[in-house]
């Protein structure tokens, strides 16, 4: 579901990873990702302390520490790609990403068992795809991107299966995951619109 509705479903992501991707578009994507996921606490850390995390809290807290390394890398990469590209209607774009951040933070703090965990697991799955964009930006900027220490896709899916053994928790997990994927899909659509606006200048 996350693959079909999140980052991997967006053709623009594959274009950003291609050798001929515009440097401005890559920089714009890195800045947007940093605005959405760079602030502390991370979505995963928020989820680890939520009422809905249940027995998954300790596992999430360990993963949150690994994700903090990714956040630090993201901040470094944001500085390396240069300033945010000048784009028409930037204030509206910034407000939209801030609204996404607020929506994700609310989702990550849900008291419904499974919901916050689903959002956190979806972010981890998404990060495997997002890292391809970050790797492309790092390569263009001369930044060495170190290997991540996040769980594998198989490990993430195994955790999801464990929680989904209880039907009601599985439904909540699916809802949380789907909502995070939708927010990321919206982010990539916004970045496409920004690239088109720059091209029209």
């Amino acid at each position: 579901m996350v693959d079909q509705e999140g980052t991997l479903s967006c053709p623009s992501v594959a274009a950003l990873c291609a050798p001929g991707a515009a440097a401005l578009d890559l920089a714009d994507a890195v800045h947007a990702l940093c605005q959405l996921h760079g602030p502390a606490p991370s979505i995963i850390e928020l989820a680890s302390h939520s009422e809905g995390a249940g027995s998954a809290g300790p596992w999430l807290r360990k993963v949150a520490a690994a994700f903090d390394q990714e956040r630090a890398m993201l901040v470094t990469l944001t500085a390396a790609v240069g300033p945010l590209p000048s784009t028409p209607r930037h204030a509206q774009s910034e407000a939209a990403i801030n609204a996404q951040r607020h929506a994700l933070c609310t989702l990550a703090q849900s008291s419904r068992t499974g919901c916050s965990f689903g959002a956190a697991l979806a972010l981890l799955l998404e990060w495997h795809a997002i890292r391809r964009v970050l790797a492309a930006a790092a390569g263009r900027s001369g930044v060495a991107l170190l290997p991540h220490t996040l769980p594998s896709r198989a490990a993430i899916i195994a955790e999801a299966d464990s929680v989904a053994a209880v039907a009601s928790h599985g439904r909540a997990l699916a809802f949380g995951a789907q909502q995070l994927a939708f927010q990321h899909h919206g982010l990539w659509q916004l970045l496409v619109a920004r690239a088109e606006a720059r091209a029209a200048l």
Side-chain angles (χ1 to χ4, degrees), residues 10-13 28 186-198:
C10 301
S12 61
V13 174
D28 205 29
L187 178 70
W188 295 115
Q189 288 182 318
L190 174 63
L191 290 170
V192 168
R194 284 174 58 82
E196 291 173 349
R198 287 192 296 273

Side-chain angles (χ1 to χ4, degrees), residues 163-180:
V163 172
V166 178
S168 61
H169 296 174
R171 288 191 295 272
L173 183 145
F175 175 80
Q178 186 176 51
Q179 290 304 305
L180 186 132

Side-chain angles (χ1 to χ4, degrees), residues 49-141:
H49 295 290
S50 71
E51 287 183 39
S55 61
W59 184 85
L60 274 180
R61 282 190 281 279
K62 289 178 61 177
V63 175
F67 192 74
D68 280 346
Q69 297 176 4
E70 294 296 292
R71 289 177 44 251
M73 172 273 295
L74 182 57
V75 171
T76 299
L77 184 57
T78 302
V81 298
L84 184 69
S86 178
T87 307
R89 301 176 63 83
H90 170 69
Q92 290 86 339
S93 298
E94 185 175 36
I97 297 174
N98 284 338
Q100 288 186 315
R101 171 74 186 178
H102 177 74
L104 292 181
C105 287
T106 300
L107 188 67
Q109 296 175 88
S110 172
S111 59
R112 183 182 174 192
T113 301
C115 184
S116 58
F117 192 49
L121 292 182
L123 175 54
L124 292 171
L125 286 173
E126 283 279 271
W127 205 256
H128 283 276
I130 287 170
R131 240 192 174 251
R132 300 176 192 176
V133 177
L134 301 182
R140 296 285 284 273
S141 306

Side-chain angles (χ1 to χ4, degrees), residues 1-10 122 126 174-189:
M1 180 181 67
V2 171
D3 289 350
Q4 292 173 353
E5 298 176 359
T7 294
L8 288 179
S9 71
C10 301
E126 283 279 271
F175 175 80
Q178 186 176 51
Q179 290 304 305
L180 186 132
F182 282 166
Q183 291 294 341
H184 277 181
H185 191 93
L187 178 70
W188 295 115
Q189 288 182 318

